[in-house]
Amino acid sequence: QVQLVESGGGLVQPGGSLRLSCAASGSIFSINVMGWYRQAPGKQRELVARVTSGGTTTYADSVKGRFTISRDNARNTVYLQMNSLKAEDTAVYYCNLAQSITVPPRDYWGKGTLVTVSS
């Protein structure tokens, strides 16, 4: 019922910047949490950042001060501005939409976009 379309991934040099976008479509409750997760090869998927429909944000310690998450509630779109990128940020980034208000709760995922930080 809900689809997430990600864009903005690619190759960037260390110290550079990249902006990811994720647009959600379908039957979506206005109260939800959207966020970004990432997974490197052979590693476990981890939370990068998330933002509630009310604007409350959460960041992983590894990206605090470098990444900024934001959203446009009218368009059900979430963004991740990534600055001062490091090689350790290289991973597949997945967009997530969580609707805990529904019964049962629902969790949707994008297909992922690859971010490669390398010179």
Side-chain angles (χ1 to χ4, degrees), residues 38-88:
R38 67 186 182 186
Q39 186 171 25
K43 304 296 183 180
Q44 194 163 294
R45 184 179 298 184
E46 64 177 354
L47 173 69
V48 177
R50 61 186 177 190
V51 56
T52 70
S53 51
T56 302
T57 59
T58 301
Y59 295 93
D61 289 340
S62 59
V63 306
K64 286 182 179 177
R66 300 189 298 119
F67 291 9
T68 302
I69 190 169
S70 61
R71 63 185 292 166
D72 184 336
N73 290 338
R75 290 194 284 269
N76 288 314
T77 301
V78 64
Y79 308 92
L80 185 67
Q81 179 66 48
M82 303 184 292
N83 299 324
S84 301
L85 283 162
K86 307 174 181 178
E88 294 76 28

